[in-house]
Amino acid sequence: MWDFIVPVCVSDLVKTGGINQYVVQDVVSPKQLASHLHSFRAALRSQGPLCILEHFDTAYSVLQHFQAVDIAVKEDTLELLVQVVSGLSVSLPSLLLSTTLSAVDRKQQLNAVKMAVFLLCKLTEHLESDSYRQSIITAPSKGSKKGKSASEGQIQWDTERETVLQALTQLLQLDIRTLWSLSLVEEEFVSCVTCCCYKLLENPAISLVKSKGSRDAIIHLLGVLVKKYNHLLGASVKVIQLLQHFEQLSSVCAQAVAVWSSEYGVKAIVGEVMREIGQKSSEELSREGSGVKAFSCFLSELSTLVPDVMLPNISVLLTHLEGESHSMRMAVCEVLGEVLIRVLSGDGLNDTARADRDRFLDTLQEHLHDTNSHVRARVLQVYTRIVNSKALPLCRYSEVMGLAVGRLMDKSVNVCKNSIQLLAAFIAHNPYSCKLSSADLKKPLEKETAKLRELRERGKEKAPVAVIEASELWEAMEPELLQTIRAELEPGSEEEQGEREEEEVEESDRDTAVKIAQFLRVNKYRQAVRLCVQAHSVFPESQLFSALSTLTVQSVTDTLALLFKGSEQDPPQKGEEQPPAPQEEGSGRNEAEESELKKQEMLVQYLRDTESFALQVEKAIAVINMMLYWKTTSVVQEAVQFCVTVCEFSVANSLSGVRRMLPLVWSTDAAVKEAVVQAYRRLYLNPQGDTTRAKAQTLVDSLSELMVDASLGTIQCLEEIVQEFFSSGSSLQNSVVQVLWERFTGKQESSALQRRAAVLLLGMAARVEREVVLSNLDTLCSVALGEKVTEDFLLARDTVIAISHITDHNKQTKNSPPFRLPQDHQLFTCLTQAIAEGVVMTDPYWQSFMEQAVRLIYFLAESPDQLCSRLLQRCSRLLLDQIAEGGEGSKEGGQSQGGQAQDEEEPDNCVSLAQLLALCGSVAFWQISHLERSVSVELRRRRGENEEREAASTSNKSKQASNESCVEEELGLVGASAEDTEAELIRKICETELLAEENLLYAFLPLLVKVCSSPGRYSHPQLTTAACLALAQFMMISPSVCEENIRLLFTVLERSTLPVVRANTIIALGDLTVRFPNILEPWTQNLYARLSDESSSVRQTAVTVLTQLVLKDVLKVKGQVSEVAMLLIDPQPHIASLALNFFNELATKDNAIYNLLPDIISRLSDPERGMKEEDFHTIMKQLFSYITKEKQTESLVEKLCQRFRTAKTERQWCDLAVSLSLLSVCERGFKRLQECWDCYSDKLAEPGVYQPLLSIMSRLRRGAKPQLKSQVEDFEKKLTAVHTKGLENVESGETEEQREGGEAESVCTPQPLSKGGRRPTRGKGKHSTSCLEDSDLVTPKPRRRPPKKTQITFSSDEEEDDAVLAESETPKVTTPISRSSRRTRLRH
């Protein structure tokens, strides 16, 4: 019988083989294959699977002519071969168990198995290659008709592949090894199957979900080969090869190795693969195509499947932690993390496992400081999973927490984001407490620590000497005691013993034993020995001293040892004979005390750990709160989620983050805005409770807590959140409104703060549904604005704010009359009554209430000017009556008492007068606003109605024109036109009627001017503040009033000693600048001067106002902006951040900072300013960071170099050189630097000039092209040569002063430039100014010193002259600004 040898190559079977080796005899042509396959099928039905022995050539011919045969032939061949293999799987089990199987039959079966498997595997490989080739060809026409027709002509291989693999697996699972001699399966047979499997794995689609069945079948087939056919080493090598060449197979290979080790029990395969990867060197992994990414993905995936199997071999991977490949470091860290989570977690670890756990955790902690940011981020992710799985030992919480907080400042955004996630996981899974507050934990910790200290002290007082202590004492005293015993037992001591015996004869044996032990404790050995010897003679029958019947050194020693040790620790065998031990009586009590002590120690340690954890969380909160305004969206989202988490756990200061993120509801980034809205919905708008009432109560409590001590900006942002809640149609709306009303009216017990929060929340709800407030106006008036209004002006103020939400002020209404209430409405009666009563009181909150009340009157009342006129008259009479009553009271009293009463009355009168003036100013301001907004809009609305009525009878064309005109009016486009009758009417009223003599406001203007110009007489701070602000509001009415009093207002700004007055005046002048720019333009320099005010509040106000004016193009940006630059180094961080924001916004305007930089440098480097070098460098570093365009850099290089010529001092040279070094100089800038050599070459002897230029050269060398690099190096040598030459001149003695400029340039003159530059003549660097003619960046030397300002003195009580700037000090108008252009700008 012949043997079938599995060939290496298919074509080898047609060649002449060895003895008894099967060779293909007849290769059938493609045309005859159909008939031969029919014969094959018939033989299979009649003979069974052994027919393959006769029809092998037919199937082999299909392989030979595979590309030429039809699809039907391929399908039939595949079907027949699958049936043969399946038939063998069915027939072989019984044959393999048979003991009568002959050698010939065994060989026959073996040949059939090898032939069938060989043919099926080779045909599978051909079909797989053909399928992959067809998929590439038809891929571009996916979904088209052409692609569908092409696929229809192909075999459905995706469905047949799994059938083939299952048939092979079923056959190879049998114990067919017995068919081979000595059960040694030939390697070629195994390779035939494995090569087929690996060929299938190379298909890119094998890792897709749709190929899961085929993928699992391949893995199980290979698992059988690995387990039964000695394919372990081959599989491990092949896995490495697949990973190197097919990156997409990383997860497939990991799944395969996991299945082989778990389901087939071949765990050694994991170690082999890990060892192969571990032996890869860093150099090999750094090469392209090394598969390092696939290796790392494979290890990460495998660690999630079989971490317990990987643990014994994990040491081979640890070498990669020191390698250069960050991907491998990430993978190893992930493996360590999975092992820690799945294997080395829990309390039941042995010592070895615990040591491994600690070692792996130490390794992960080290790589939190890895040089690669991706590794740091991955380690943080691993720690997050460890913490979420509660696998981190408690003793490491504090350490890892500290490292995570440190990573918040990492330069990598990804690391920061993962740090926030880890910290959030720590808080969410912390084992300490559901509420983390170091302040709340401090008192319990102190209390329990004191209790622990007390327990320890009590234990020290009661605790007996321990057994070990008695033994140690006995061992220490024994040598000396032996000497004493020997000395006492000598004959010379008998007389002393007699004397001693007489003293102790009456003592009992127990008392004597105790006394002997006491002697031994205090080192009285002689007395103890004597007493012991005497005791035996006195108590001969006592068992305590029975050993002394024979008086020897040893017997005495043993007796003393028994008495000493027994008295401390031995339990009594017979209570009457053993000396009592002190600890025996309380042994049970001691055990209880020790147990209590241990519990207390554990409690104290727990509290300490909790406090430490809480402190670290609070530290993290401070950092993460700053990250809420980063530009990276993902970091902001993580920071928002963290703030929510810490708030839910009641961490101290957590509310600060929640409030800080509130303004992000205005963010232009939709993702950030949505994150904030969802956060507030989670925290406040989705309350927990059993009933609707309970939920509403919880929601109101949460929102009220957020509004306590909230700023105006916070409340405005919160309005958006609350408005969204009431717009969402929540089922809680009615219940929430009901709870708010109950809290406001006092039906529900609540504090004053909660009542104020309730009414503000009702006002926010009114923005969505006006009836919430409008239908309850009477309630609001009676509760907050009624008789008790003077008791709580804050509640009254917030009530007025809530009512203002029902007005049309912020609503866009078209062609509908404004919503207003009649003058006699109860609301206005209450408001005017409250204002009038409060004007003669000294309540500090009256003014804020008054401002909101006047605003509401003008928004909501019909003819508000009449109401306010009567209100002013009433308040004036009340004030006059109060002054008159005070004067009469002082006359009735005695002279001394009257003087004292007058002194007490004057401050009250001043406060009342201040409040009256504040009321006047508020009325004047809102009167202007009422005219220009409400009245003007109403006039346009009425005109539009008239035009519509007139146009109703006209043609469609005229109607359309009329509508377009009306739209233009609504948009305000006609407002800038001089022909706009409504605007002219309003302007005329403001300029001629509001301050006419017959108008009530006119009567207060002289008083305001008097108070402001006479600070000596009117020195009360509140009066001065109110008068100045009111005067500025009066000046808003007309340009004539503004021109008359502008000098007085600027005098107050510069001369007032009160920071609040100066700050208020700056705000008022900012408004006046917007309203009357032509009048205020000459005074711009005075506004900028307040940026250097000694008061931080004034500086802050000044920079805020100027930022708004400049960014809105109301003020022209000039050289005075250097004063804003000075604030970049302001000691107050908030002011510095405002200045930084100013320049950030200014940088968005084209070339704004570029145009200003030379002037800023000139002013800041002025020797008279005396700025420190460090401060100058800090400011310039920030400003030059905005210069990003190459052309701007090139121009600045040239102009800064030219400025060296006019610089007079060494400090100015150094400042210019530092400024140059801060520019991002490129090749073109370098050429400019070379061209301007003669401008600074004579200054290079100064280190402050030389070093910055040298730093420019060092930056240029990095990454420069060879040609440029050579030029830079040559120029650097030239710089060094000139610098050294200057130093040598200094060391050898000063040269002649006459040659100071010329000789330096003659020695250091560079070679002629390639662009035709001429060698500079002597002294050109000092005297030539022709190069500055085209530059507007050089600050010229002032021709004359500015005239010294005339000293201005304020009037005293005796002098009443106006304390204003002299006429000569009044700046003149230099640049007129047209009104139309200003209005156009303001509209946009």
Side-chain angles (χ1 to χ4, degrees):
M1 181 69 183
W2 44 264
D3 294 327
F4 181 80
I5 306 299
V6 178
V8 178
C9 182
V10 177
S11 59
D12 291 347
L13 285 175
V14 297
K15 300 177 182 178
T16 303
I19 301 173
N20 293 332
Q21 182 176 342
Y22 180 83
V23 178
V24 176
Q25 300 296 328
D26 183 19
V27 179
V28 184
S29 65
K31 294 181 180 180
Q32 299 175 347
L33 278 175
S35 60
H36 282 72
L37 286 174
H38 182 71
S39 302
F40 188 3
R41 190 183 304 276
L44 178 62
R45 284 196 297 268
S46 61
Q47 301 175 18
L50 291 180
C51 68
I52 191 67
L53 300 174
E54 298 177 2
H55 294 274
F56 177 85
D57 292 0
T58 301
Y60 179 81
S61 300
V62 175
L63 295 178
Q64 285 290 82
H65 305 298
F66 186 82
Q67 299 298 333
V69 297
D70 296 335
I71 295 175
V73 174
K74 297 176 184 178
E75 290 179 345
D76 291 343
T77 306
L78 179 65
E79 181 183 358
L80 290 171
L81 290 176
V82 170
Q83 291 178 5
V84 170
V85 172
S86 300
L88 288 172
S89 302
V90 175
S91 62
L92 276 176
S94 59
L95 293 175
L96 294 174
L97 295 174
S98 175
T99 57
T100 61
L101 188 64
S102 64
V104 175
D105 293 338
R106 178 177 281 105
K107 183 172 289 188
Q108 192 178 26
Q109 295 290 338
L110 177 60
N111 287 334
V113 168
K114 291 198 288 187
M115 284 181 168
V117 170
F118 169 75
L119 288 172
L120 185 57
C121 289
K122 293 303 177 183
L123 182 59
T124 298
E125 292 181 17
H126 281 73
L127 289 172
E128 180 70 16
S129 299
D130 191 51
S131 174
Y132 179 59
R133 184 165 53 254
Q134 291 298 328
S135 67
I136 294 177
I137 294 173
T138 58
S141 59
K142 184 178 180 181
S144 64
K145 294 181 179 180
K146 181 178 179 181
K148 291 181 181 178
S149 62
S151 62
E152 288 173 358
Q154 300 296 325
I155 187 173
Q156 298 298 318
W157 175 236
D158 289 341
T159 58
E160 296 293 337
R161 186 193 296 117
E162 190 174 348
T163 304
V164 172
L165 293 168
Q166 289 175 351
L168 288 172
T169 304
Q170 188 177 4
L171 175 61
L172 294 177
Q173 279 179 338
L174 303 176
D175 193 13
I176 61 175
R177 291 175 295 178
T178 57
L179 295 177
W180 274 270
S181 175
L182 301 177
S183 298
L184 295 176
V185 182
E186 56 194 275
E187 185 179 349
E188 290 78 5
F189 177 80
V190 178
S191 298
C192 177
V193 182
T194 56
C195 288
C196 174
C197 294
Y198 295 132
K199 180 80 173 177
L200 296 177
L201 284 177
E202 293 175 5
N203 189 338
I206 199 66
S207 59
L208 302 179
V209 176
K210 67 178 183 180
S211 303
K212 184 180 185 302
S214 299
R215 184 170 65 246
D216 293 343
I218 296 170
I219 291 173
H220 284 287
L221 178 54
L222 287 171
V224 172
L225 294 169
V226 169
K227 183 176 182 180
K228 292 189 174 183
Y229 297 91
N230 198 26
H231 184 56
L232 189 148
L233 293 177
S236 61
V237 173
K238 192 63 182 178
V239 165
I240 298 299
Q241 293 176 355
L242 288 173
L243 291 173
Q244 284 180 325
H245 298 95
F246 302 96
E247 186 178 308
Q248 75 275 8
L249 291 181
S250 56
S251 61
V252 177
C253 290
Q255 182 183 351
V257 173
V259 170
W260 300 340
S261 65
S262 57
E263 297 186 20
Y264 291 91
V266 190
K267 296 185 178 181
I269 187 72
V270 177
E272 289 295 331
V273 175
M274 291 175 65
R275 195 171 296 109
E276 290 288 340
I277 296 176
Q279 291 173 355
K280 299 285 183 181
S281 63
S282 297
E283 293 77 10
E284 186 177 356
L285 291 174
S286 62
R287 290 200 300 268
E288 186 178 358
S290 63
V292 61
K293 186 175 181 180
F295 287 147
S296 59
C297 294
F298 168 79
L299 290 173
S300 301
E301 184 78 16
L302 187 62
S303 66
T304 62
L305 299 173
V306 285
D308 53 333
V309 185
M310 295 183 71
L311 179 57
N313 302 282
I314 204 168
S315 58
V316 300
L317 298 176
L318 297 180
T319 55
H320 286 300
L321 289 173
E322 308 299 329
E324 296 181 1
S325 173
H326 71 275
S327 298
M328 290 302 295
R329 296 202 299 273
M330 291 161 58
V332 176
C333 289
E334 285 198 349
V335 172
L336 294 178
E338 289 298 330
V339 169
L340 287 168
I341 294 170
R342 306 265 297 277
V343 183
L344 300 178
S345 60
D347 298 329
L349 299 179
N350 56 31
D351 293 341
T352 304
R354 195 175 292 108
D356 288 341
R357 180 195 66 187
D358 294 340
R359 182 161 55 93
F360 294 163
L361 287 171
D362 290 339
T363 302
L364 287 176
Q365 285 182 203
E366 291 174 2
H367 285 275
L368 276 175
H369 302 286
D370 196 280
T371 55
N372 189 279
S373 62
H374 296 291
V375 180
R376 298 195 298 273
R378 187 61 56 87
V379 173
L380 288 167
Q381 293 173 7
V382 170
Y383 264 117
T384 303
R385 293 203 297 270
I386 292 174
V387 173
N388 287 333
S389 303
K390 299 181 180 179
L392 186 66
L394 190 61
C395 59
R396 288 184 176 263
Y397 261 64
S398 179
E399 186 176 4
V400 178
M401 186 81 172
L403 292 172
V405 174
R407 288 298 94 199
L408 290 174
M409 306 306 296
D410 197 283
K411 61 182 179 181
S412 169
V413 170
N414 199 25
V415 176
C416 296
K417 182 176 69 174
N418 285 284
S419 298
I420 299 174
Q421 293 175 351
L422 175 56
L423 291 170
F426 266 120
I427 296 171
H429 299 89
N430 81 88
Y432 299 111
S433 171
C434 62
K435 291 188 177 182
L436 296 169
S437 173
S438 60
D440 295 341
L441 290 167
K442 189 174 182 180
K443 290 184 179 179
L445 177 60
E446 292 176 353
K447 178 181 177 182
E448 298 301 331
T449 304
K451 185 177 179 182
L452 176 61
R453 193 181 304 112
E454 182 182 350
L455 285 175
R456 286 176 174 171
E457 292 175 355
R458 190 190 309 163
K460 288 180 180 180
E461 294 174 358
K462 295 184 177 181
V465 180
V467 175
I468 187 67
E469 292 180 357
S471 301
E472 291 176 354
L473 286 173
W474 177 258
E475 292 175 1
M477 71 172 66
E478 190 173 8
E480 187 176 354
L481 185 60
L482 286 173
Q483 295 179 2
T484 306
I485 294 172
R486 293 190 185 99
E488 287 296 319
L489 292 182
E490 292 179 358
S493 61
E494 292 180 357
E495 296 179 0
E496 297 179 6
Q497 289 178 0
E499 297 175 1
R500 189 67 179 175
E501 187 177 2
E502 294 176 359
E503 296 174 0
E504 302 295 339
V505 68
E506 296 179 357
E507 294 182 0
S508 66
D509 59 343
R510 289 177 59 82
D511 294 338
T512 304
V514 172
K515 194 166 187 178
I516 291 171
Q518 291 174 351
F519 281 148
L520 290 174
R521 287 194 194 98
V522 296
N523 298 333
K524 294 182 179 181
Y525 303 141
R526 191 177 300 277
Q527 289 89 329
V529 173
R530 288 176 180 176
L531 186 57
C532 184
V533 174
Q534 291 172 1
H536 171 63
S537 60
V538 175
F539 310 105
E541 296 179 0
S542 175
Q543 291 185 2
L544 295 175
F545 304 103
S546 59
L548 295 177
S549 58
T550 305
L551 196 61
T552 62
V553 174
Q554 185 63 39
S555 63
V556 174
T557 304
D558 293 342
T559 302
L560 291 173
L562 174 64
L563 297 176
F564 183 77
K565 295 180 181 180
S567 65
E568 298 293 335
Q569 63 183 13
D570 292 342
Q573 299 299 326
K574 294 182 180 180
E576 297 179 355
E577 297 181 356
Q578 278 285 15
Q583 75 275 21
E584 290 175 0
E585 301 175 359
S587 58
R589 185 172 67 254
N590 289 344
E591 291 179 2
E593 290 180 354
E594 288 179 3
S595 175
E596 184 182 0
L597 181 63
K598 289 180 180 178
K599 291 180 180 179
Q600 190 66 22
E601 288 176 345
M602 293 174 63
L603 176 59
V604 170
Q605 186 61 43
Y606 170 80
L607 290 174
R608 284 175 180 168
D609 292 342
T610 307
E611 184 190 35
S612 175
F613 185 82
L615 286 172
Q616 287 180 329
V617 171
E618 291 167 13
K619 181 180 178 182
I621 290 173
V623 180
I624 294 176
N625 285 351
M626 303 300 296
M627 300 167 72
L628 285 168
Y629 291 88
W630 280 20
K631 295 181 180 180
T632 309
T633 302
S634 58
V635 174
V636 176
Q637 289 174 315
E638 291 297 337
V640 168
Q641 292 301 319
F642 178 83
C643 290
V644 173
T645 302
V646 296
C647 189
E648 290 175 338
F649 279 84
S650 302
V651 181
N653 299 327
S654 59
L655 205 59
S656 64
V658 175
R659 286 179 174 174
R660 184 176 176 83
M661 72 181 181
L662 190 53
L664 292 175
V665 296
W666 310 104
S667 174
T668 56
D669 191 326
V672 172
K673 180 178 180 179
E674 180 64 21
V676 175
V677 171
Q678 292 296 335
Y680 273 87
R681 185 178 292 121
R682 173 179 165 185
L683 286 174
Y684 299 108
L685 303 182
N686 288 328
Q688 301 297 322
D690 298 331
T691 63
T692 303
R693 172 77 180 186
K695 292 180 179 179
Q697 187 72 44
T698 303
L699 189 148
V700 170
D701 289 340
S702 301
L703 290 177
S704 299
E705 180 186 2
L706 192 64
M707 295 184 67
V708 172
D709 297 331
S711 64
L712 179 61
T714 301
I715 293 177
Q716 289 176 345
C717 298
L718 192 60
E719 284 183 2
E720 292 296 313
I721 304 294
V722 177
Q723 186 176 357
E724 182 185 353
F725 169 75
F726 282 100
S727 302
S728 63
S730 172
S731 59
L732 293 176
Q733 286 184 14
N734 294 333
S735 299
V736 168
V737 171
Q738 182 180 354
V739 171
L740 289 173
W741 279 115
E742 290 177 1
R743 181 168 290 188
F744 170 72
T745 57
K747 292 182 180 179
Q748 185 181 119
E749 186 177 354
S750 56
S751 64
L753 288 175
Q754 290 175 330
R755 294 180 67 192
R756 288 170 50 202
V759 74
L760 286 175
L761 289 171
L762 287 170
M764 296 175 189
R767 292 185 61 186
V768 179
E769 182 56 48
R770 177 185 288 180
E771 290 301 319
V772 172
V773 170
L774 185 59
S775 60
N776 294 278
L777 271 180
D778 295 342
T779 304
L780 290 169
C781 292
S782 61
V783 173
L785 303 175
E787 297 177 356
K788 298 182 179 181
V789 64
T790 57
E791 298 178 4
D792 192 351
F793 278 115
L794 282 177
L795 179 62
R797 180 199 65 188
D798 293 340
T799 302
V800 171
I801 293 174
I803 297 174
S804 66
H805 288 301
I806 70 174
T807 66
D808 293 330
H809 176 64
N810 293 320
K811 296 181 177 64
Q812 297 295 330
T813 57
K814 293 184 178 180
N815 299 328
S816 60
F819 173 75
R820 290 187 176 270
L821 298 175
Q823 288 189 26
D824 57 354
H825 193 276
Q826 179 188 1
L827 172 63
F828 305 122
T829 304
C830 294
L831 288 178
T832 53
Q833 179 69 22
I835 294 173
E837 291 181 2
V839 79
V840 291
M841 298 172 60
T842 57
D843 194 300
Y845 304 112
W846 175 86
Q847 184 165 342
S848 61
F849 159 73
M850 176 272 297
E851 291 171 353
Q852 294 296 333
V854 173
R855 173 175 175 266
L856 180 62
I857 289 172
Y858 274 98
F859 281 173
L860 204 56
E862 291 286 354
S863 303
D865 49 344
Q866 297 178 9
L867 272 175
C868 291
S869 177
R870 292 195 294 269
L871 176 62
L872 284 175
Q873 292 175 356
R874 181 177 178 182
C875 293
S876 301
R877 282 196 299 269
L878 288 173
L879 178 58
L880 291 173
D881 293 344
Q882 176 180 323
I883 295 173
E885 290 176 2
E888 292 175 1
S890 62
K891 291 179 181 179
E892 293 174 0
Q895 186 174 359
S896 60
Q897 294 180 355
Q900 182 178 0
Q902 186 176 2
D903 293 339
E904 293 176 356
E905 289 291 336
E906 281 186 0
D908 293 340
N909 293 338
C910 288
V911 171
S912 299
L913 178 58
Q915 294 179 158
L916 176 61
L917 296 182
L919 176 61
C920 295
S922 185
V923 169
F925 177 82
W926 287 111
Q927 180 66 37
I928 303 168
S929 175
H930 175 68
L931 288 172
E932 294 190 348
R933 301 182 66 174
S934 302
V935 175
S936 179
V937 169
E938 179 64 12
L939 288 175
R940 282 202 298 270
R941 187 188 67 81
R942 293 178 181 179
R943 180 167 58 85
E945 289 181 351
N946 294 332
E947 291 177 354
E948 287 179 0
R949 284 195 296 268
E950 294 174 359
S953 58
T954 61
S955 64
N956 294 334
K957 183 176 180 181
S958 61
K959 181 178 181 180
Q960 181 178 2
S962 174
N963 288 337
E964 290 178 355
S965 175
C966 184
V967 170
E968 288 183 353
E969 292 175 0
E970 290 178 358
L971 293 175
L973 298 177
V974 188
S977 173
E979 290 79 18
D980 189 346
T981 56
E982 288 86 0
E984 289 297 330
L985 175 62
I986 299 299
R987 189 180 302 115
K988 182 179 179 181
I989 293 174
C990 290
E991 293 181 358
T992 61
E993 296 185 15
L994 283 185
L995 289 178
E997 293 185 2
E998 62 273 10
N999 198 305
L1000 183 61
L1001 290 177
Y1002 175 79
F1004 290 94
L1005 182 57
L1007 177 60
L1008 291 173
V1009 174
K1010 187 76 170 178
V1011 173
C1012 292
S1013 60
S1014 305
R1017 168 171 290 184
Y1018 306 102
S1019 59
H1020 193 276
Q1022 186 174 347
L1023 177 59
T1024 305
T1025 304
C1028 293
L1029 195 56
L1031 177 62
Q1033 290 169 328
F1034 269 72
M1035 291 167 64
M1036 296 279 288
I1037 296 176
S1038 71
S1040 59
V1041 178
C1042 183
E1043 287 181 343
E1044 291 173 2
N1045 298 282
I1046 190 66
R1047 281 195 299 151
L1048 174 58
L1049 204 59
F1050 272 101
T1051 302
V1052 172
L1053 176 65
E1054 295 186 3
R1055 308 298 185 188
S1056 176
T1057 58
L1058 299 175
V1060 63
V1061 172
R1062 300 201 298 274
N1064 285 347
T1065 306
I1066 291 174
I1067 298 173
L1069 287 170
D1071 294 338
L1072 288 170
T1073 303
V1074 175
R1075 188 166 178 81
F1076 305 121
N1078 287 338
I1079 299 175
L1080 271 293
E1081 196 273 339
W1083 299 88
T1084 302
Q1085 186 173 356
N1086 300 71
L1087 281 177
Y1088 278 103
R1090 290 303 97 202
L1091 292 170
S1092 56
D1093 196 280
E1094 59 184 9
S1095 172
S1096 60
S1097 62
V1098 178
R1099 294 199 304 274
Q1100 177 179 335
T1101 306
V1103 70
T1104 304
V1105 170
L1106 288 171
T1107 298
Q1108 295 298 320
L1109 295 177
V1110 169
L1111 296 181
K1112 291 181 179 179
D1113 294 328
V1114 178
L1115 277 185
K1116 290 184 178 180
V1117 184
K1118 297 183 179 179
Q1120 297 97 333
V1121 79
S1122 61
E1123 301 299 328
V1124 183
M1126 284 291 296
L1127 295 183
L1128 289 170
I1129 55 170
D1130 195 274
Q1132 298 294 329
H1134 185 60
I1135 298 177
S1137 66
L1138 288 174
L1140 180 61
N1141 180 66
F1142 170 82
F1143 285 106
N1144 288 339
E1145 295 296 330
L1146 190 62
T1148 60
K1149 297 180 179 291
D1150 292 338
N1151 301 332
I1153 294 183
Y1154 163 74
N1155 293 330
L1156 293 169
L1157 261 177
D1159 268 347
I1160 294 176
I1161 295 174
S1162 176
R1163 290 172 182 264
L1164 295 185
S1165 61
D1166 189 347
E1168 295 183 1
R1169 183 180 289 273
M1171 176 180 285
K1172 296 180 181 178
E1173 290 187 22
E1174 295 79 5
D1175 295 341
F1176 180 83
H1177 296 172
T1178 302
I1179 295 172
M1180 289 299 109
K1181 185 176 181 180
Q1182 180 61 43
L1183 296 182
F1184 276 103
S1185 66
Y1186 301 112
I1187 305 301
T1188 55
K1189 297 179 181 178
E1190 185 177 346
K1191 191 173 182 181
Q1192 290 180 349
T1193 303
E1194 179 187 0
S1195 177
L1196 280 175
V1197 168
E1198 180 179 8
K1199 293 178 179 181
L1200 288 175
C1201 288
Q1202 299 290 353
R1203 195 169 284 258
F1204 272 102
R1205 298 181 182 275
T1206 57
K1208 299 177 181 180
T1209 64
E1210 297 175 358
R1211 167 66 190 279
Q1212 288 178 310
W1213 301 345
C1214 297
D1215 288 345
L1216 289 171
V1218 168
S1219 301
L1220 278 172
S1221 68
L1222 293 173
L1223 286 168
S1224 299
V1225 179
C1226 54
E1227 184 175 358
R1228 293 169 60 181
F1230 172 64
K1231 290 180 179 178
R1232 292 293 184 190
L1233 203 61
Q1234 287 179 307
E1235 293 170 1
C1236 298
W1237 168 264
D1238 56 335
C1239 297
Y1240 56 84
S1241 57
D1242 57 338
K1243 317 292 192 305
L1244 287 174
E1246 284 295 325
V1249 177
Y1250 169 70
Q1251 291 296 340
L1253 295 178
L1254 205 62
S1255 67
I1256 297 176
M1257 299 302 110
S1258 64
R1259 287 202 307 270
L1260 279 171
R1261 281 202 309 272
R1262 299 172 194 162
K1265 296 179 180 179
Q1267 183 178 1
L1268 177 62
K1269 190 173 184 179
S1270 175
Q1271 296 177 5
V1272 171
E1273 290 175 351
D1274 293 341
F1275 192 74
E1276 186 175 351
K1277 291 178 182 177
K1278 185 187 295 184
L1279 289 174
T1280 306
V1282 175
H1283 175 66
T1284 307
K1285 181 70 174 176
L1287 287 178
E1288 289 176 354
N1289 288 338
V1290 171
E1291 291 172 358
S1292 62
E1294 295 293 338
T1295 55
E1296 298 180 23
E1297 295 181 1
Q1298 295 82 354
R1299 302 176 58 194
E1300 179 182 36
E1303 186 176 346
E1305 286 196 12
S1306 66
V1307 172
C1308 306
T1309 300
Q1311 296 295 326
L1313 301 174
S1314 58
K1315 294 185 179 182
R1318 296 186 299 173
R1319 188 183 300 274
T1321 58
R1322 181 185 298 272
K1324 182 177 180 181
K1326 290 284 183 180
H1327 305 292
S1328 175
T1329 57
S1330 60
C1331 59
L1332 303 179
E1333 293 175 358
D1334 298 332
S1335 174
D1336 60 344
L1337 298 170
V1338 179
T1339 303
K1341 181 178 179 181
R1343 297 181 179 180
R1344 61 181 180 85
R1345 295 181 64 84
K1348 186 177 180 181
K1349 290 186 177 181
T1350 308
Q1351 186 176 2
I1352 298 176
T1353 57
F1354 286 114
S1355 62
S1356 63
D1357 293 343
E1358 293 79 12
E1359 298 175 343
E1360 291 301 321
D1361 296 333
D1362 290 349
V1364 296
L1365 293 173
E1367 186 67 29
S1368 60
E1369 296 179 282
T1370 304
K1372 305 302 180 184
V1373 177
T1374 57
T1375 307
I1377 302 175
S1378 62
R1379 182 179 297 277
S1380 61
S1381 63
R1382 176 181 66 82
R1383 285 176 173 265
T1384 305
R1385 285 197 307 272
L1386 293 179
R1387 182 181 306 110
H1388 297 292

